[in-house]
Each structure stands twice: as structure tokens, then as C-alpha cells.
Amino acid sequence: MPPSPQSPSPPQIFDRDKLRRRRQAFARHYQDYDFLRARVSSDLETRVADTPRIFETMLELGGADGGLSRTLLGQNRTKSAIVSDTADLFLNAAAAGGLEAVFADEEALQFEPERFDLVVSPLTLHWVNDLPGALVQIRRILKPDGLFLGALFGAGTLAELREVMSEAETELTGGLSPRLSPLPGLRDMAGLLQRAGFALPVVDRDTVTVRYKTPEALLRDLKGMGERAAFVRGVSRPLPRRVLARAMDLYKERFSDPDGRVRATFEIVHLSGWAPAPGQPQPLKPGSARASMADAVRRAGRPDSEGTEQEES
């Protein structure tokens, strides 16, 4: 028999080595730029608390200093925890706090199958080149009836910055080059969870509006958080200074509030899904009088949260 054709490799958009270096820089000044991650960790903590279960072993994937793991251990929501990250400074901080800390790349998880009954992932999965593959790997390391809770930036993130960067570059150069990372939409994520084999998948979002004194302050925050685009060589051209200056002017014109501050939108997409196991609630046919979504939300979800604002200097 001829060999079966192999699936094509996913396109390499992000430079993972560059991302590791930026995450290491983020770790050096973590407390100055952790406000979105702290919000996400708090939300994940609540979602775990809403689940009527004590977990045996959890993995915090992209866990930074392990703050979420320490909280869940302290609340007796899990009996043991492993923190993984790609930045040595974060791993050292987690270990110094008494946690087991291991290096793990979200694109190539080395954990044995069915090791964990809870995996949480706060704000790192939007940087993987093969998101469907990463979700399959997460499901593989979950025990049957294990829970995955993740959060990543969605397609509505930095809509204001995307608009002005595109317009400024088109106006001044007559063309466009990728400047901000492509991000998945809400419907995309629901489909990806199903394709990865998760049972009872639930996807919802939290839209956060952050106000800055200037758009340049937003750019400084993105750099500090390690959230600037990290494309592989050849994907994007260098950004001309005149294009950036024009984009900043457009930003102030279009997205300033009466007090002079500018708005930046962050769309945080929350994911939950269970590793398949016998006896789980099953989705019912459309039109059934009993909706299975209620079971899924009761087990690991909350409704949309919209319109929250916070201030940044």
C-alpha cells in the first residue's frame, strides 16, 4: 500500500524563540504589567470554584509565578499543582514559592497522557502556531472527565489600534504589512474545542476597555506584557516611523474620551471543555426541551461579561 498522505504542517507565523525572550523580559517587570493576567487568573479561580469537585493534580500552563496554583491549593480546590512556563525567571519564582515548576512549550507538551484532571491556561495560547494541535495535546494529558479552562485574547482585541495602523500604512505607503497578531474569534474557538475532542465545550468572552493617557502608553504596556507581535522573519516589513506617528495621531482623533484619555479594547475569550468519559451529560438535538448547555455552564462556565473599564497611566 502507498503511504497515507501526511497532514500539512501549520504555517509558522510566530517566532517562538522571540516570544520566549519577550516573556523573560515580562518576568523581570511582572508586577508592573500583570493587570490583565491578574484579572484572568481571578476569573479562572472563580470558574474552578464553581465546579463541584476537588481536583487531584492540576497543570497551570503558562503559569508565570504560579499565583493561580497557590490560590487553588490554598482553597483546597486541588491537591497538587505543577506550574509550567517558557521563562526561566518565572519558573524560578514559582519554585521559590514552593511549587513544582517545569519548562513546557505549549506547542510540544511532554507530559504523559492522562496525567492531570485539571489544566488551566491563562493568556498564552494565542501565541501558538498550531492552536488546534495545542488543544489536542491538552486533551491528551487530561484524565477522562478532566477539565480544561483556558483564556486567550480574541479577535476583538486592540480593534482601535488595528484600524489606525492599517489606515496610516495604506495612506502613506499604498500597501499593508501585518502589524498585529491574528487572533481567533469566538465561533472559531467553539469549533476548535469540538475538533480537539472535548466534551461539553463552552466558550464565552470578557470585553475589557482600558483607558490610557496616550496611545504611546498603550504601546509601552504591550511591550511590557510581552504582547507585541512576534512574527517570523519575512512575514512583516519594518514599520516606518512616519506610519507609526500618523497612526498615533489617528488614534487620538478617533478614540479619545472627553477627558483626553484614549480607549483600548481587550477581548478575552474563555474556554472550557471536558475530556470525554463514560456517564457525562450528552448534547441533545436542537429543539429538545432540555438544553445540555445548562449542564455545561453549571460544571465550568459563566455568561459573557461586557464593558468593564479600568485606568492605566
Side-chain angles (χ1 to χ4, degrees), residues 126-193:
H126 51 278
W127 284 119
V128 300
N129 286 294
D130 182 11
L131 185 53
L135 292 173
V136 168
Q137 292 185 64
I138 291 169
R139 182 184 55 78
R140 179 183 61 84
I141 64 176
L142 279 170
K143 298 175 184 177
D145 205 34
L147 174 63
F148 166 59
L149 293 172
L152 68 164
F153 288 123
T157 297
L158 300 176
E160 303 88 352
L161 186 58
R162 292 175 192 276
E163 178 182 320
V164 298
M165 291 290 285
S166 296
E167 182 167 333
E169 188 160 17
T170 301
E171 175 187 314
L172 296 178
T173 71
L176 277 177
S177 183
R179 300 300 174 194
L180 297 172
S181 302
L183 296 170
L186 205 65
R187 291 185 179 180
D188 299 329
M189 291 312 309
L192 289 179
L193 283 172

Side-chain angles (χ1 to χ4, degrees), residues 236-256:
S236 181
R237 300 189 301 269
L239 176 64
R241 290 187 178 183
R242 62 194 179 103
V243 171
L244 179 59
R246 176 59 177 154
M248 296 297 94
D249 288 340
L250 289 172
Y251 206 120
K252 294 170 189 174
E253 291 172 11
R254 294 186 185 171
F255 302 110
S256 291

Side-chain angles (χ1 to χ4, degrees), residues 57 59 82 100 102-104 108-119 136-144:
T57 304
L59 169 66
I82 293 176
E100 182 178 354
V102 299
F103 176 92
L109 298 179
Q110 300 298 315
F111 303 104
E112 60 267 27
E114 300 185 5
R115 177 169 181 182
F116 305 99
D117 56 357
L118 174 64
V119 174
V136 168
Q137 292 185 64
I138 291 169
R139 182 184 55 78
R140 179 183 61 84
I141 64 176
L142 279 170
K143 298 175 184 177

Side-chain angles (χ1 to χ4, degrees), residues 12 20 34 69 73 123 176 190 201 220 228 252 260 278 289 304 307:
Q12 298 299 295
R20 289 188 193 103
D34 70 337
S69 292
L73 285 166
L123 290 184
L176 277 177
R220 287 194 295 271
R228 291 184 301 162
K252 294 170 189 174
D304 285 7

Side-chain angles (χ1 to χ4, degrees), residues 11-118:
Q12 298 299 295
I13 299 174
F14 303 124
D15 184 329
R16 297 290 293 174
D17 289 333
K18 184 183 295 185
L19 286 166
R20 289 188 193 103
R21 292 194 297 272
R22 290 183 177 177
R23 190 155 179 86
Q24 186 84 340
F26 175 34
R28 293 190 185 97
H29 306 282
Y30 181 52
Q31 300 303 325
D32 295 330
Y33 299 104
D34 70 337
F35 63 99
L36 286 175
R37 197 181 185 285
R39 179 190 180 94
V40 166
S41 294
S42 177
D43 204 332
L44 290 172
E45 173 193 332
T46 301
R47 291 166 189 257
V48 173
D50 286 344
T51 307
R53 182 164 162 188
I54 304 298
F55 296 95
E56 293 290 329
T57 304
M58 70 166 277
L59 169 66
E60 188 178 357
L61 186 61
D65 65 350
L68 177 58
S69 292
R70 282 192 295 274
T71 297
L72 294 178
L73 285 166
Q75 295 174 345
N76 295 318
R77 302 303 307 176
T78 183
K79 296 180 180 179
S80 65
I82 293 176
V83 176
S84 74
D85 209 281
T86 58
D88 290 340
L89 288 177
F90 275 143
L91 294 175
N92 292 340
L99 295 168
E100 182 178 354
V102 299
F103 176 92
D105 187 325
E106 294 89 350
E107 291 193 346
L109 298 179
Q110 300 298 315
F111 303 104
E112 60 267 27
E114 300 185 5
R115 177 169 181 182
F116 305 99
D117 56 357
L118 174 64

